[in-house]
Amino acid sequence: MAEIPYRFVTDSRVEELITRHAGLEPGQETDHVVAIAGRLMLRRVQGKLAFATLDDGSGRIQLFAPSKTTPEFEQFCDLNLGDWVGITGVVMTTRRGELSVRVDSWVVLAEARRPFPDKWHGINDVDTRYRQRYVDLWVTPEARQTFLMRSRMMTLTRSFLEQRGFIEVETPIFHPIPGGANARPFTTHHNALDLDLYLRVAPELYLKRLTVAGFEKVFEIGRVFRNEGVSTRHNPEFTMLELYQAYADYHDIMSLVEELVEQLAVELTGSTVLTVADQELDVARPWRRATMIELIEESIGATLSLDMPLDELRTIAKQHEVQVKDTFGPGKLILEIYEKTTEGALWGPVFVTDYPAEVSPLSREHRDKPGMTERFEAILAGRELCNAFTELVDPEQQRSRFEDQAAQNAQGDDEAMMVDEDYIRALEYGLPPTGGLGIGMDRLAMLLTGASSIRDVVLFPTLRPEQ
RNA sequence: GGGCCGCUAGCUCAUCGGGUAGAGCAGGGGACUUUUAAUCCCAAGGUGCCGGGUUCGAGCCCCGGGCGGCCUACCA
């Protein structure tokens, strides 16, 4: 085999060539000489004339190679599917009208030493697709499309936030104290410091420290890690967008979420109507806003409140097959009833608002409803997309919420939070009224691409190792 | 964690009431100057996920294990 060059300069992408020469009649030869490179996807050798299909990632175009004009014609015909080649030649159309590049010179850029998957069926086995994503992405156009859309989604999200004055920051992934979400953390160890550390379950507490510091609008898009089971909606590491806006409350944040999602849908799909699992979801603003209590009442027809006797709540919970524990207060019972009876039936888009303080250790108490907090989750296509609230700013209240959490942790709830003294110290310097938001970007990508499994929007999902 | 299903050539898939496997594509050889998943001819390609058991004989039946999928549970 010929030497593999160290460099190959292209001047065109296939996508551009197709657009530029869209109207070309059959049998035309232009004076447009191009240099393109990509992977050989198909090959049709016909004696003294060879055709091939090149894929450069932007699209596919035919290569036209007559023996008379193609250098080293025999070797060109011996190329294997999957080989990378660099081509220079004129743009032309064949007798049948197929837009092609005539191979006036060519060079091998990489050999495919492993066999090409079935050129028509590609790879069907999802295990292989996830494990060998590098193969999946070039033989499965939908997979490529999904990840291109995800990339654009991230870019558009960043510019959406930057246009509104948010600055992007990066906070630690190693946390001495895990916090910001109720989730079991991964643990690790720093040798030189002889220090046990946790991989973050959320960046929340660091971002609010930055609000204390005087950054009015901050966001972070980053990986978080939760030591939980995997499913079509859960990958142990996933990408979270969190943002904090000083002087704002949860109503402002709801408006922001609506705007973001509507805009992404229009820019990425051209419509506010998305298709998920063969059902339509219209994300056009405004979205319905309803309290958790209202939605439960709609769903089960019973009246609930935090003030009613605990026994009555327990009875209702048991009627709906909620597994009740003695430690559950009224707030936890209401949340459990919501999750068991109501959440799964919601399609959305809907903002579910006003969560009990008992289950919302970082949210500020509702301005009118004692025992409730100003918190919401958005449900889209039956899935929870985000979690947001008017932030708890009072250090004393925060300490007491942390202590409740720590007590639950001590009782064996390894998802409950611990007391973060430094975070309380930060609050003591003064956190202004602040609205905060966390969005699972993988789930947002699922929504926008119509993917039914989170693994279809994560390039390399967590799997058991082979063998 | 529980239930159900799957695993056969590099890829996509067959076969059978238990009788030690077959095709297309890819890869190899040959024919072919306008093909489009090109076509045609030839040859090659297998630890039937792994390990036990039943049987004269197991890819197929039984048990255990592995990996994956779906559902469920868990999961802010």
Side-chain angles (χ1 to χ4, degrees), chain A residues 38-225:
Chain A
R39 201 157 216 163
L40 220 57
M41 303 302 284
L42 297 168
R43 194 196 45 198
R44 298 176 287 283
V45 176
Q46 221 174 58
K48 298 278 197 300
L49 178 64
F51 301 90
T53 302
L54 184 85
D55 185 326
D56 76 345
S58 75
R60 292 180 180 194
I61 195 165
Q62 177 166 272
L63 304 176
F64 178 83
S67 59
K68 250 192 281 182
T69 60
T70 304
E72 298 179 283
F73 178 74
E74 305 288 318
Q75 287 89 327
F76 183 82
C77 295
D78 284 342
L79 286 170
N80 283 336
L81 298 193
D83 284 347
W84 291 77
V85 287
I87 305 289
T88 59
V90 297
V91 177
M92 49 160 290
T93 49
T94 59
R95 275 183 213 164
R96 295 281 175 89
E98 180 79 16
L99 184 69
S100 307
V101 173
R102 194 180 66 208
V103 180
D104 295 332
S105 75
W106 64 278
V107 60
V108 176
L109 299 176
E111 287 176 64
R113 299 185 192 195
R114 286 174 178 271
F116 194 85
D118 190 284
K119 67 186 177 188
W120 186 245
H121 299 97
I123 308 180
N124 258 10
D125 181 36
V126 287
D127 187 32
T128 309
R129 292 187 48 205
Y130 297 149
R131 288 187 196 281
Q132 296 182 242
R133 190 69 95 178
Y134 38 85
V135 180
D136 181 39
L137 287 170
W138 53 277
V139 300
T140 314
E142 309 85 72
R144 178 186 292 276
Q145 188 56 36
T146 294
F147 289 102
L148 290 175
M149 266 179 83
R150 178 175 174 139
S151 170
R152 288 187 59 212
M153 175 189 86
M154 300 304 268
T155 305
L156 290 167
T157 300
R158 285 194 163 90
S159 69
F160 175 93
L161 293 173
E162 278 157 12
Q163 279 162 17
R164 281 162 181 72
F166 284 86
I167 60 163
E168 182 168 9
V169 297
E170 293 176 275
T171 63
I173 287 174
F174 293 140
H175 285 190
I177 301 168
N182 289 348
R184 196 179 314 156
F186 287 90
T187 57
T188 187
H189 185 81
H190 189 285
N191 289 342
L193 295 177
D194 189 20
L195 179 65
D196 287 327
L197 291 165
Y198 301 89
L199 301 189
R200 68 180 176 189
V201 296
E204 170 149 359
L205 300 182
Y206 282 96
L207 291 172
K208 281 188 278 190
R209 284 172 170 96
L210 294 176
T211 312
V212 169
F215 289 130
E216 279 181 27
K217 295 179 175 181
V218 294
F219 76 97
E220 177 164 10
I221 292 176
R223 211 66 64 82
V224 300
F225 308 87

Side-chain angles (χ1 to χ4, degrees), chain A residues 334-353:
Chain A
I334 286 175
L335 179 69
E336 291 286 331
I337 293 168
Y338 163 74
E339 286 179 349
K340 191 79 180 183
T341 66
T342 307
E343 187 177 29
L346 296 173
W347 178 250
V350 56
F351 288 116
V352 182
T353 67

Side-chain angles (χ1 to χ4, degrees), chain A residues 113-415:
Chain A
R113 299 185 192 195
R114 286 174 178 271
F116 194 85
D118 190 284
K119 67 186 177 188
W120 186 245
H121 299 97
I123 308 180
N124 258 10
D125 181 36
V126 287
D127 187 32
T128 309
R129 292 187 48 205
Y130 297 149
R131 288 187 196 281
Q132 296 182 242
R133 190 69 95 178
Y134 38 85
V135 180
D136 181 39
L137 287 170
W138 53 277
V139 300
T140 314
E142 309 85 72
R144 178 186 292 276
Q145 188 56 36
T146 294
F147 289 102
L148 290 175
M149 266 179 83
R150 178 175 174 139
S151 170
R152 288 187 59 212
M153 175 189 86
M154 300 304 268
T155 305
L156 290 167
T157 300
R158 285 194 163 90
S159 69
F160 175 93
L161 293 173
E162 278 157 12
Q163 279 162 17
R164 281 162 181 72
F166 284 86
I167 60 163
E168 182 168 9
V169 297
E170 293 176 275
T171 63
I173 287 174
F174 293 140
H175 285 190
I177 301 168
N182 289 348
R184 196 179 314 156
F186 287 90
T187 57
T188 187
H189 185 81
H190 189 285
N191 289 342
L193 295 177
D194 189 20
L195 179 65
D196 287 327
L197 291 165
Y198 301 89
L199 301 189
R200 68 180 176 189
V201 296
E204 170 149 359
L205 300 182
Y206 282 96
L207 291 172
K208 281 188 278 190
R209 284 172 170 96
L210 294 176
T211 312
V212 169
F215 289 130
E216 279 181 27
K217 295 179 175 181
V218 294
F219 76 97
E220 177 164 10
I221 292 176
R223 211 66 64 82
V224 300
F225 308 87
R226 298 186 182 179
N227 207 338
E228 294 159 358
V230 297
S231 77
T232 48
R233 286 157 298 257
H234 300 265
N235 197 56
E237 53 176 310
F238 62 100
T239 302
M240 179 93 104
L241 160 66
E242 284 204 9
L243 66 83
Y244 293 86
Q245 177 172 353
Y247 322 128
D249 67 9
Y250 73 148
H251 297 294
D252 299 309
I253 302 299
M254 280 186 250
S255 302
L256 190 77
V257 171
E258 281 176 339
E259 277 179 53
L260 173 65
V261 173
E262 184 190 62
Q263 191 170 320
L264 288 174
V266 169
E267 293 192 43
L268 292 174
T269 73
S271 165
T272 61
V273 180
L274 303 171
T275 303
V276 182
D278 296 327
Q279 285 191 71
E280 290 193 341
L281 177 80
D282 191 346
V283 298
R285 292 179 290 159
W287 299 353
R288 182 180 180 203
R289 301 182 184 195
T291 68
M292 176 183 287
I293 297 277
E294 285 166 0
L295 290 167
I296 297 172
E297 289 175 353
E298 273 178 25
S299 158
I300 68 173
T303 307
L304 294 181
S305 91
L306 282 174
D307 304 326
M308 62 198 290
L310 199 59
D311 281 344
E312 283 183 39
L313 276 176
R314 283 199 176 125
T315 305
I316 294 171
K318 283 173 185 163
Q319 278 168 2
H320 293 92
E321 296 171 338
V322 173
Q323 294 195 338
V324 177
K325 290 180 189 158
D326 293 343
T327 52
F328 289 2
K332 178 70 171 168
L333 283 168
I334 286 175
L335 179 69
E336 291 286 331
I337 293 168
Y338 163 74
E339 286 179 349
K340 191 79 180 183
T341 66
T342 307
E343 187 177 29
L346 296 173
W347 178 250
V350 56
F351 288 116
V352 182
T353 67
D354 300 351
Y355 282 59
E358 184 185 339
V359 294
S360 310
L362 302 167
S363 315
R364 185 164 175 178
E365 187 164 54
H366 196 283
R367 63 196 79 181
D368 303 318
K369 300 174 187 169
M372 287 294 180
T373 61
E374 296 196 355
R375 171 181 166 191
F376 73 86
E377 291 186 358
I379 303 290
L380 284 94
R383 295 191 292 250
E384 178 197 323
L385 178 76
C386 68
N387 183 26
F389 30 88
T390 306
E391 301 298 331
L392 177 54
V393 294
D394 183 295
E396 295 307 318
Q397 286 181 30
Q398 185 65 73
R399 177 181 297 282
S400 128
R401 302 268 189 97
F402 272 154
E403 281 167 356
D404 290 346
Q405 286 283 310
Q408 288 173 36
N409 198 301
Q411 282 174 12
D413 180 354
D414 52 10
E415 287 160 5

